[in-house]
């Protein structure tokens, strides 16, 4: 490592110096002004060392260097190094450049290849020298380890408070954190009234969408925060479906304090880790569940009933239950795909509208489609569109219609002849009232 007073080689000084400026979050950018100012002061340090060309990269202000967030400024620095245009990289400390080993060691290797220097407040490092390479490697490892330790301490402290029900999480509309008594009802009576009205309508109608239609017809408005996350002032706008569902699915309205009901997922995209948040977990996997923690709009038993009812209402979900809908097609909302378990959708096509059942979840080469023809009595005649083994991908219960009969994709053989459709299939013929296969997923054995 060179001392700060030593002169850099002329070959290095003829190239440009890059001052890399970064802070991890937007709040640090707005509040930690002294740290940002000291990083920009490195421009004067570069001039004192003899550089005439100086570039400042501050594109990554407010971006983490943990490796899970894209950093266009760091990518530009790497591109300049690969082109051989950089003589020195100046940074406040090693953690400004990278908080993960991949980026740090990659940068160190590139600097060694083009004989660029790494300069911080403590000295000048030449990655071509073994001792300097070792020291830079240790700095990068310490920086990465430090981030892990800080995160672990922070999350463990938050979990400890959450297990006591004292961690002040963001709460839904209708609740506020009081300084003395903790979590309680929002004193705004209009807010409380609209929350209670949603639960009251759901008890009567049993459907989130019907609740929305009922409230919309009554001209009910729902509060929308106008001050960001402070939740102090609101704009009242026409109620939306997401407002209804968010109220019905939030356990806080049942007086339950919940922590850890969602999780983050990490995937590798283009060689970098990408984290996504807000993936919901089943109730039994919630990390903290404290019942009777605060005042409630409904009881826990009613909340559980609501979740079961919403799950039953969910259309096209695996193992969901849904009654048939209107239209010619008798099996609408009843037939399921045996491959993915979701409901078959129904569309009406042709000059004389005929129902067509489709499973859009399958790949294009094995899509499932049934064509149904309606009769005066409402019974549907379904004609297979030839696909290899396609009917192994359909399923229906033995008595889903409650009529003591099996729903079958074709009707009577005579009816098929009248409609100009064939009841035979070399892969497994459909004729009369059953399939010629020994064990059909629809007709049964």
């Amino acid at each position: 490592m060179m001392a700060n007073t030593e002169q850099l080689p002329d070959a290095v000084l003829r190239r440009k110096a890059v001052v890399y400026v970064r802070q991890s979050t937007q709040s640090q950018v707005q509040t930690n002004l002294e740290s940002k100012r000291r990083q920009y002061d490195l421009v004067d340090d570069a001039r004192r060392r003899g550089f005439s060309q100086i570039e400042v990269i501050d594109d990554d202000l407010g971006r983490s260097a943990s490796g899970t967030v894209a950093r266009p400024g760091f990518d530009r620095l790497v591109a300049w190094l690969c082109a051989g245009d950089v003589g020195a990289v100046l940074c406040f400390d090693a953690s400004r450049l990278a908080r993960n080993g991949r980026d740090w060691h990659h940068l160190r290797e590139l600097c060694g290849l083009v004989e660029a220097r790494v300069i911080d407040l403590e000295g000048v490092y030449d990655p071509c020298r073994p001792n300097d390479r070792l020291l830079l490697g240790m700095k990068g490892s310490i920086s990465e380890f430090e981030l892990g330790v800080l995160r672990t301490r922070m999350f463990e402290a938050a979990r400890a408070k959450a297990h006591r029900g004292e961690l002040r999480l963001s709460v839904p509309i209708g609740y506020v954190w009081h300084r003395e008594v903790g979590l309680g009802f929002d004193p705004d009576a209009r807010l409380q009234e609209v929350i209670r009205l949603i639960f009251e309508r759901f008890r009567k109608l049993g459907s989130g969408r019907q609740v929305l239609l009922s409230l919309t017809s009554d001209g009910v408005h729902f509060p929308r925060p106008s001050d960001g996350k402070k939740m102090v002032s609101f704009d009242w706008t026409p109620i939306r479906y997401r407002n209804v569902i968010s109220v019905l699915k939030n356990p806080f309205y049942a007086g339950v304090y919940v922590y850890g009901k969602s999780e983050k997922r990490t995937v590798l995209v283009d060689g970098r880790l990408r984290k996504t948040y807000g993936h919901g977990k089943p109730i039994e996997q919630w990390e903290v569940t404290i019942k009777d923690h605060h005042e409630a709009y409904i009881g826990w038993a009613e909340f559980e009933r609501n979740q079961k009812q919403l799950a039953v209402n969910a259309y096209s979900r695996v193992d969901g239950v849904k009654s048939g809908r209107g239209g010619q097609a008798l099996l609408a909302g009843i037939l399921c795909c045996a491959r993915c378990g979701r409901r078959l959708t129904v569309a009406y096509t042709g000059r004389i509208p005929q129902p067509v059942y489709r499973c859009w979840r399958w790949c294009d080469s094995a899509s499932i489609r049934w064509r149904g023809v309606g009769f005066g009595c409402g019974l549907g005649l379904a004609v297979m569109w030839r696909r290899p083994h396609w009917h192994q991908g359909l399923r229906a219960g033995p008595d889903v219609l409650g009529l003591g009969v099996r729903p079958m994709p074709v009707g009577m053989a005579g009816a098929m002849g009248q409609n100009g459709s064939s009841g035979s299939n070399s892969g497994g013929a459909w004729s009369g009232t059953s399939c010629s296969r020994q064990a059909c997923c629809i007709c049964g054995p």
Side-chain angles (χ1 to χ4, degrees):
M1 182 178 69
M2 296 174 56
N4 283 324
T5 57
E6 293 186 34
Q7 182 67 28
L8 293 171
D10 292 339
V12 172
L13 294 175
R14 282 195 294 266
R15 288 179 281 174
K16 61 184 175 184
V18 177
V19 176
Y20 185 78
V21 179
R22 187 190 67 81
Q23 288 178 302
S24 298
T25 63
Q26 290 296 335
S27 62
Q28 291 180 4
V29 175
Q30 297 172 5
T31 58
N32 297 356
L33 301 180
E34 185 61 29
S35 173
K36 184 167 62 174
R37 186 179 298 110
R38 293 183 67 187
Q39 292 185 63
Y40 279 111
D41 288 344
L42 293 174
V43 175
D44 298 331
D45 187 28
R47 289 198 183 97
R48 286 195 299 270
R49 295 183 183 277
F51 287 99
S52 58
Q53 303 178 56
I54 302 173
E55 295 279 354
V56 177
I57 295 180
D58 55 4
D59 303 352
D60 298 338
L61 283 171
R63 294 176 181 266
S64 171
S66 61
T68 59
V69 177
R71 290 193 291 160
F74 184 82
D75 293 340
R76 187 149 57 100
L77 171 60
V78 169
W80 287 350
L81 283 169
C82 292
D85 298 334
V86 179
V89 178
L90 290 86
C91 59
F92 189 70
D93 55 52
S95 65
R96 299 303 92 197
L97 284 169
R99 283 279 196 179
N100 67 94
R102 178 185 180 275
D103 288 346
W104 176 257
H105 293 292
H106 182 51
L107 180 70
R108 187 190 63 177
E109 292 293 333
L110 290 177
C111 289
L113 290 174
V114 299
E115 298 184 0
R117 305 298 192 265
V118 177
I119 303 175
D120 63 11
L121 298 180
E122 297 179 356
V124 180
Y125 305 89
D126 183 0
C128 296
R129 298 178 179 178
N131 287 341
D132 286 6
R133 287 173 60 86
L134 177 61
L135 190 54
L136 287 173
M138 293 176 61
K139 281 179 171 284
S141 298
I142 292 173
S143 176
E144 184 177 13
F145 176 75
E146 180 186 28
L147 179 62
V149 171
L150 292 175
R151 280 181 174 172
T152 301
R153 289 176 178 173
M154 179 180 66
F155 289 146
E156 289 302 324
R159 288 191 184 98
K161 293 189 69 174
H163 279 281
R164 299 193 303 269
E166 299 175 1
L167 182 64
R168 299 210 165 190
L169 305 169
S170 297
V171 293
I173 291 174
Y175 284 104
V176 293
W177 284 102
H178 299 285
R179 187 180 298 274
E180 294 83 10
V181 298
L183 186 60
F185 287 146
D186 192 304
D188 190 333
R190 187 181 179 187
L191 282 176
Q192 296 187 31
E193 182 182 356
V194 71
I195 299 297
R196 298 184 192 279
L197 183 59
I198 291 175
F199 287 115
E200 179 184 344
R201 294 290 174 89
F202 190 78
R203 291 188 200 103
K204 295 179 180 178
L205 303 174
S207 167
R209 178 160 180 78
Q210 292 304 317
V211 171
L212 171 67
L213 296 176
S214 175
L215 296 178
T216 301
S217 64
D218 292 345
V220 175
H221 285 57
F222 196 82
R224 179 181 179 182
S226 58
D227 55 358
K229 296 182 179 180
K230 294 181 180 179
M231 305 279 285
V232 175
S233 60
F234 301 91
D235 294 329
W236 289 83
T237 59
I239 192 167
R240 298 182 180 183
Y241 181 72
R242 65 184 181 187
N243 302 138
V244 175
I245 291 298
S246 65
V247 170
L248 294 175
K249 289 190 173 183
N250 199 316
F252 271 86
Y253 292 111
V256 180
Y257 181 93
V258 175
Y259 175 81
K261 64 178 181 178
S262 62
E263 62 183 358
K264 68 179 180 181
R265 296 175 184 172
T266 305
V267 295
L268 192 64
V269 179
D270 298 330
R272 289 184 178 274
L273 295 177
R274 293 290 180 266
K275 292 182 180 180
T276 55
Y277 298 85
H279 301 281
K281 296 191 293 186
I283 294 180
E284 58 273 10
Q285 295 181 15
W286 290 351
E287 188 172 343
V288 178
T289 303
I290 304 176
K291 298 180 181 179
D292 300 324
H293 174 267
H294 51 268
E295 298 173 294
Y297 286 89
I298 60 173
W300 176 250
E302 182 177 351
F303 173 79
E304 289 184 319
R305 288 196 303 270
N306 291 347
Q307 303 317 299
K308 292 179 181 178
Q309 184 64 45
L310 290 172
V312 166
N313 293 344
Y315 192 76
S316 80
R317 291 285 183 88
V318 178
D319 297 328
V321 179
K322 189 68 176 181
S323 60
R325 295 184 173 184
Q328 281 185 323
L330 179 63
L331 305 181
I334 298 177
L335 284 179
C336 299
C337 174
R339 180 71 64 84
C340 65
R342 293 177 174 85
R343 303 285 170 188
L344 297 185
T345 59
V346 182
Y348 294 86
T349 62
R351 293 174 57 187
I352 301 176
Q354 298 179 356
V356 176
Y357 301 85
R358 295 188 177 96
C359 178
W360 296 110
R361 303 283 180 167
W362 272 34
C363 61
D364 295 338
S365 61
S367 62
I368 299 174
R369 296 193 288 182
W370 275 10
R371 172 165 290 175
V373 181
F375 291 90
C377 64
L379 183 63
L381 170 68
V383 180
M384 178 180 69
W385 284 20
R386 287 281 291 112
R387 292 294 171 94
H389 309 301
W390 72 273
H391 71 292
Q392 291 183 350
L394 298 172
R395 74 177 183 194
D399 190 12
V400 293
L401 301 181
L403 303 175
V405 297
R406 299 176 187 272
M408 291 174 288
V410 284
M412 301 300 292
M416 292 180 63
Q418 294 173 8
N419 287 277
S421 300
S422 172
S424 63
N425 180 347
S426 59
W430 296 87
S431 61
T433 59
S434 64
C435 172
S436 66
R437 288 184 179 271
Q438 294 299 319
C440 174
C441 56
I442 299 176
C443 301

